[in-house]
mmCIF file with all atom_site columns, all heavy atoms in Angstrom:
data_model
loop_
_atom_site.group_PDB
_atom_site.id
_atom_site.type_symbol
_atom_site.label_atom_id
_atom_site.label_alt_id
_atom_site.label_comp_id
_atom_site.label_asym_id
_atom_site.label_entity_id
_atom_site.label_seq_id
_atom_site.pdbx_PDB_ins_code
_atom_site.Cartn_x
_atom_site.Cartn_y
_atom_site.Cartn_z
_atom_site.occupancy
_atom_site.B_iso_or_equiv
_atom_site.pdbx_formal_charge
_atom_site.auth_seq_id
_atom_site.auth_comp_id
_atom_site.auth_asym_id
_atom_site.auth_atom_id
_atom_site.pdbx_PDB_model_num
ATOM 1   N N   . ILE A 1 287 ? 107.504 130.934 127.231 1.00 88.00 ? 302 ILE A N   1
ATOM 2   C CA  . ILE A 1 287 ? 108.486 131.730 126.457 1.00 88.00 ? 302 ILE A CA  1
ATOM 3   C C   . ILE A 1 287 ? 109.525 132.378 127.347 1.00 88.00 ? 302 ILE A C   1
ATOM 4   O O   . ILE A 1 287 ? 110.684 132.489 126.976 1.00 88.00 ? 302 ILE A O   1
ATOM 5   C CB  . ILE A 1 287 ? 107.716 132.780 125.657 1.00 88.00 ? 302 ILE A CB  1
ATOM 6   C CG1 . ILE A 1 287 ? 106.755 132.124 124.650 1.00 88.00 ? 302 ILE A CG1 1
ATOM 7   C CG2 . ILE A 1 287 ? 108.658 133.701 124.875 1.00 88.00 ? 302 ILE A CG2 1
ATOM 8   C CD1 . ILE A 1 287 ? 107.448 131.118 123.689 1.00 88.00 ? 302 ILE A CD1 1
ATOM 9   N N   . GLU A 1 288 ? 109.140 132.748 128.576 1.00 87.00 ? 303 GLU A N   1
ATOM 10  C CA  . GLU A 1 288 ? 110.104 133.203 129.555 1.00 87.00 ? 303 GLU A CA  1
ATOM 11  C C   . GLU A 1 288 ? 111.172 132.094 129.772 1.00 87.00 ? 303 GLU A C   1
ATOM 12  O O   . GLU A 1 288 ? 112.361 132.375 129.833 1.00 87.00 ? 303 GLU A O   1
ATOM 13  C CB  . GLU A 1 288 ? 109.460 133.562 130.876 1.00 87.00 ? 303 GLU A CB  1
ATOM 14  C CG  . GLU A 1 288 ? 108.838 134.973 130.894 1.00 87.00 ? 303 GLU A CG  1
ATOM 15  C CD  . GLU A 1 288 ? 108.217 135.281 132.246 1.00 87.00 ? 303 GLU A CD  1
ATOM 16  O OE1 . GLU A 1 288 ? 108.140 134.377 133.124 1.00 87.00 ? 303 GLU A OE1 1
ATOM 17  O OE2 . GLU A 1 288 ? 107.839 136.452 132.452 1.00 87.00 ? 303 GLU A OE2 1
ATOM 18  N N   . GLN A 1 289 ? 110.669 130.869 129.946 1.00 81.00 ? 304 GLN A N   1
ATOM 19  C CA  . GLN A 1 289 ? 111.613 129.733 130.125 1.00 81.00 ? 304 GLN A CA  1
ATOM 20  C C   . GLN A 1 289 ? 112.550 129.582 128.972 1.00 81.00 ? 304 GLN A C   1
ATOM 21  O O   . GLN A 1 289 ? 113.715 129.318 129.138 1.00 81.00 ? 304 GLN A O   1
ATOM 22  C CB  . GLN A 1 289 ? 110.735 128.463 130.342 1.00 81.00 ? 304 GLN A CB  1
ATOM 23  C CG  . GLN A 1 289 ? 111.580 127.252 130.682 1.00 81.00 ? 304 GLN A CG  1
ATOM 24  C CD  . GLN A 1 289 ? 110.701 126.014 130.983 1.00 81.00 ? 304 GLN A CD  1
ATOM 25  O OE1 . GLN A 1 289 ? 109.508 126.129 131.072 1.00 81.00 ? 304 GLN A OE1 1
ATOM 26  N NE2 . GLN A 1 289 ? 111.315 124.838 131.059 1.00 81.00 ? 304 GLN A NE2 1
ATOM 27  N N   . VAL A 1 290 ? 112.038 129.747 127.760 1.00 87.00 ? 305 VAL A N   1
ATOM 28  C CA  . VAL A 1 290 ? 112.876 129.634 126.568 1.00 87.00 ? 305 VAL A CA  1
ATOM 29  C C   . VAL A 1 290 ? 113.916 130.718 126.570 1.00 87.00 ? 305 VAL A C   1
ATOM 30  O O   . VAL A 1 290 ? 115.129 130.415 126.327 1.00 87.00 ? 305 VAL A O   1
ATOM 31  C CB  . VAL A 1 290 ? 112.003 129.754 125.276 1.00 87.00 ? 305 VAL A CB  1
ATOM 32  C CG1 . VAL A 1 290 ? 112.878 129.885 124.035 1.00 87.00 ? 305 VAL A CG1 1
ATOM 33  C CG2 . VAL A 1 290 ? 111.103 128.518 125.125 1.00 87.00 ? 305 VAL A CG2 1
ATOM 34  N N   . LEU A 1 291 ? 113.513 131.958 126.813 1.00 90.00 ? 306 LEU A N   1
ATOM 35  C CA  . LEU A 1 291 ? 114.493 133.073 126.732 1.00 90.00 ? 306 LEU A CA  1
ATOM 36  C C   . LEU A 1 291 ? 115.531 132.976 127.844 1.00 90.00 ? 306 LEU A C   1
ATOM 37  O O   . LEU A 1 291 ? 116.728 133.233 127.589 1.00 90.00 ? 306 LEU A O   1
ATOM 38  C CB  . LEU A 1 291 ? 113.732 134.399 126.800 1.00 90.00 ? 306 LEU A CB  1
ATOM 39  C CG  . LEU A 1 291 ? 112.959 134.766 125.540 1.00 90.00 ? 306 LEU A CG  1
ATOM 40  C CD1 . LEU A 1 291 ? 112.120 136.024 125.774 1.00 90.00 ? 306 LEU A CD1 1
ATOM 41  C CD2 . LEU A 1 291 ? 113.899 135.011 124.355 1.00 90.00 ? 306 LEU A CD2 1
ATOM 42  N N   . ILE A 1 292 ? 115.126 132.599 129.035 1.00 86.00 ? 307 ILE A N   1
ATOM 43  C CA  . ILE A 1 292 ? 116.070 132.443 130.115 1.00 86.00 ? 307 ILE A CA  1
ATOM 44  C C   . ILE A 1 292 ? 117.101 131.348 129.804 1.00 86.00 ? 307 ILE A C   1
ATOM 45  O O   . ILE A 1 292 ? 118.289 131.486 130.002 1.00 86.00 ? 307 ILE A O   1
ATOM 46  C CB  . ILE A 1 292 ? 115.352 132.143 131.452 1.00 86.00 ? 307 ILE A CB  1
ATOM 47  C CG1 . ILE A 1 292 ? 114.610 133.367 131.886 1.00 86.00 ? 307 ILE A CG1 1
ATOM 48  C CG2 . ILE A 1 292 ? 116.311 131.688 132.536 1.00 86.00 ? 307 ILE A CG2 1
ATOM 49  C CD1 . ILE A 1 292 ? 113.633 133.142 133.069 1.00 86.00 ? 307 ILE A CD1 1
ATOM 50  N N   . ASN A 1 293 ? 116.579 130.296 129.237 1.00 83.00 ? 308 ASN A N   1
ATOM 51  C CA  . ASN A 1 293 ? 117.468 129.153 128.798 1.00 83.00 ? 308 ASN A CA  1
ATOM 52  C C   . ASN A 1 293 ? 118.491 129.622 127.812 1.00 83.00 ? 308 ASN A C   1
ATOM 53  O O   . ASN A 1 293 ? 119.680 129.325 127.913 1.00 83.00 ? 308 ASN A O   1
ATOM 54  C CB  . ASN A 1 293 ? 116.602 128.031 128.238 1.00 83.00 ? 308 ASN A CB  1
ATOM 55  C CG  . ASN A 1 293 ? 117.349 126.714 128.121 1.00 83.00 ? 308 ASN A CG  1
ATOM 56  O OD1 . ASN A 1 293 ? 118.518 126.667 127.713 1.00 83.00 ? 308 ASN A OD1 1
ATOM 57  N ND2 . ASN A 1 293 ? 116.716 125.618 128.477 1.00 83.00 ? 308 ASN A ND2 1
ATOM 58  N N   . LEU A 1 294 ? 118.027 130.381 126.791 1.00 90.00 ? 309 LEU A N   1
ATOM 59  C CA  . LEU A 1 294 ? 118.921 130.849 125.712 1.00 90.00 ? 309 LEU A CA  1
ATOM 60  C C   . LEU A 1 294 ? 119.945 131.855 126.273 1.00 90.00 ? 309 LEU A C   1
ATOM 61  O O   . LEU A 1 294 ? 121.120 131.839 125.917 1.00 90.00 ? 309 LEU A O   1
ATOM 62  C CB  . LEU A 1 294 ? 118.132 131.504 124.583 1.00 90.00 ? 309 LEU A CB  1
ATOM 63  C CG  . LEU A 1 294 ? 117.184 130.609 123.822 1.00 90.00 ? 309 LEU A CG  1
ATOM 64  C CD1 . LEU A 1 294 ? 116.437 131.365 122.761 1.00 90.00 ? 309 LEU A CD1 1
ATOM 65  C CD2 . LEU A 1 294 ? 117.928 129.412 123.202 1.00 90.00 ? 309 LEU A CD2 1
ATOM 66  N N   . ILE A 1 295 ? 119.494 132.739 127.224 1.00 89.00 ? 310 ILE A N   1
ATOM 67  C CA  . ILE A 1 295 ? 120.416 133.702 127.790 1.00 89.00 ? 310 ILE A CA  1
ATOM 68  C C   . ILE A 1 295 ? 121.479 132.992 128.630 1.00 89.00 ? 310 ILE A C   1
ATOM 69  O O   . ILE A 1 295 ? 122.672 133.386 128.550 1.00 89.00 ? 310 ILE A O   1
ATOM 70  C CB  . ILE A 1 295 ? 119.640 134.727 128.613 1.00 89.00 ? 310 ILE A CB  1
ATOM 71  C CG1 . ILE A 1 295 ? 118.787 135.613 127.706 1.00 89.00 ? 310 ILE A CG1 1
ATOM 72  C CG2 . ILE A 1 295 ? 120.570 135.649 129.438 1.00 89.00 ? 310 ILE A CG2 1
ATOM 73  C CD1 . ILE A 1 295 ? 117.810 136.498 128.440 1.00 89.00 ? 310 ILE A CD1 1
ATOM 74  N N   . ILE A 1 296 ? 121.090 131.995 129.406 1.00 87.00 ? 311 ILE A N   1
ATOM 75  C CA  . ILE A 1 296 ? 122.054 131.240 130.235 1.00 87.00 ? 311 ILE A CA  1
ATOM 76  C C   . ILE A 1 296 ? 123.037 130.536 129.353 1.00 87.00 ? 311 ILE A C   1
ATOM 77  O O   . ILE A 1 296 ? 124.231 130.475 129.636 1.00 87.00 ? 311 ILE A O   1
ATOM 78  C CB  . ILE A 1 296 ? 121.321 130.311 131.164 1.00 87.00 ? 311 ILE A CB  1
ATOM 79  C CG1 . ILE A 1 296 ? 120.563 131.073 132.238 1.00 87.00 ? 311 ILE A CG1 1
ATOM 80  C CG2 . ILE A 1 296 ? 122.264 129.352 131.820 1.00 87.00 ? 311 ILE A CG2 1
ATOM 81  C CD1 . ILE A 1 296 ? 119.663 130.245 133.142 1.00 87.00 ? 311 ILE A CD1 1
ATOM 82  N N   . ASN A 1 297 ? 122.580 129.985 128.256 1.00 86.00 ? 312 ASN A N   1
ATOM 83  C CA  . ASN A 1 297 ? 123.510 129.365 127.257 1.00 86.00 ? 312 ASN A CA  1
ATOM 84  C C   . ASN A 1 297 ? 124.497 130.389 126.729 1.00 86.00 ? 312 ASN A C   1
ATOM 85  O O   . ASN A 1 297 ? 125.710 130.084 126.533 1.00 86.00 ? 312 ASN A O   1
ATOM 86  C CB  . ASN A 1 297 ? 122.731 128.771 126.085 1.00 86.00 ? 312 ASN A CB  1
ATOM 87  C CG  . ASN A 1 297 ? 122.077 127.451 126.481 1.00 86.00 ? 312 ASN A CG  1
ATOM 88  O OD1 . ASN A 1 297 ? 122.333 126.866 127.518 1.00 86.00 ? 312 ASN A OD1 1
ATOM 89  N ND2 . ASN A 1 297 ? 121.250 126.926 125.593 1.00 86.00 ? 312 ASN A ND2 1
ATOM 90  N N   . SER A 1 298 ? 124.004 131.613 126.469 1.00 89.00 ? 313 SER A N   1
ATOM 91  C CA  . SER A 1 298 ? 124.891 132.651 126.007 1.00 89.00 ? 313 SER A CA  1
ATOM 92  C C   . SER A 1 298 ? 125.902 133.070 127.082 1.00 89.00 ? 313 SER A C   1
ATOM 93  O O   . SER A 1 298 ? 127.081 133.352 126.795 1.00 89.00 ? 313 SER A O   1
ATOM 94  C CB  . SER A 1 298 ? 124.058 133.901 125.596 1.00 89.00 ? 313 SER A CB  1
ATOM 95  O OG  . SER A 1 298 ? 123.352 133.656 124.428 1.00 89.00 ? 313 SER A OG  1
ATOM 96  N N   . VAL A 1 299 ? 125.465 133.072 128.320 1.00 89.00 ? 314 VAL A N   1
ATOM 97  C CA  . VAL A 1 299 ? 126.374 133.346 129.454 1.00 89.00 ? 314 VAL A CA  1
ATOM 98  C C   . VAL A 1 299 ? 127.537 132.337 129.481 1.00 89.00 ? 314 VAL A C   1
ATOM 99  O O   . VAL A 1 299 ? 128.697 132.700 129.597 1.00 89.00 ? 314 VAL A O   1
ATOM 100 C CB  . VAL A 1 299 ? 125.604 133.334 130.814 1.00 89.00 ? 314 VAL A CB  1
ATOM 101 C CG1 . VAL A 1 299 ? 126.621 133.391 132.015 1.00 89.00 ? 314 VAL A CG1 1
ATOM 102 C CG2 . VAL A 1 299 ? 124.642 134.485 130.872 1.00 89.00 ? 314 VAL A CG2 1
ATOM 103 N N   . ASP A 1 300 ? 127.199 131.041 129.331 1.00 86.00 ? 315 ASP A N   1
ATOM 104 C CA  . ASP A 1 300 ? 128.233 129.968 129.302 1.00 86.00 ? 315 ASP A CA  1
ATOM 105 C C   . ASP A 1 300 ? 129.166 130.180 128.100 1.00 86.00 ? 315 ASP A C   1
ATOM 106 O O   . ASP A 1 300 ? 130.373 130.006 128.211 1.00 86.00 ? 315 ASP A O   1
ATOM 107 C CB  . ASP A 1 300 ? 127.572 128.611 129.224 1.00 86.00 ? 315 ASP A CB  1
ATOM 108 C CG  . ASP A 1 300 ? 126.820 128.286 130.456 1.00 86.00 ? 315 ASP A CG  1
ATOM 109 O OD1 . ASP A 1 300 ? 127.096 128.875 131.530 1.00 86.00 ? 315 ASP A OD1 1
ATOM 110 O OD2 . ASP A 1 300 ? 125.906 127.385 130.410 1.00 86.00 ? 315 ASP A OD2 1
ATOM 111 N N   . ALA A 1 301 ? 128.578 130.602 126.956 1.00 87.00 ? 316 ALA A N   1
ATOM 112 C CA  . ALA A 1 301 ? 129.380 130.789 125.741 1.00 87.00 ? 316 ALA A CA  1
ATOM 113 C C   . ALA A 1 301 ? 130.352 131.985 125.839 1.00 87.00 ? 316 ALA A C   1
ATOM 114 O O   . ALA A 1 301 ? 131.374 132.026 125.191 1.00 87.00 ? 316 ALA A O   1
ATOM 115 C CB  . ALA A 1 301 ? 128.483 130.957 124.510 1.00 87.00 ? 316 ALA A CB  1
#
Side-chain angles (χ1 to χ4, degrees):
I302 298 304
E303 279 182 349
Q304 184 176 351
V305 170
L306 288 173
I307 290 170
N308 195 317
L309 296 179
I310 291 171
I311 290 174
N312 283 351
S313 291
V314 171
D315 293 340

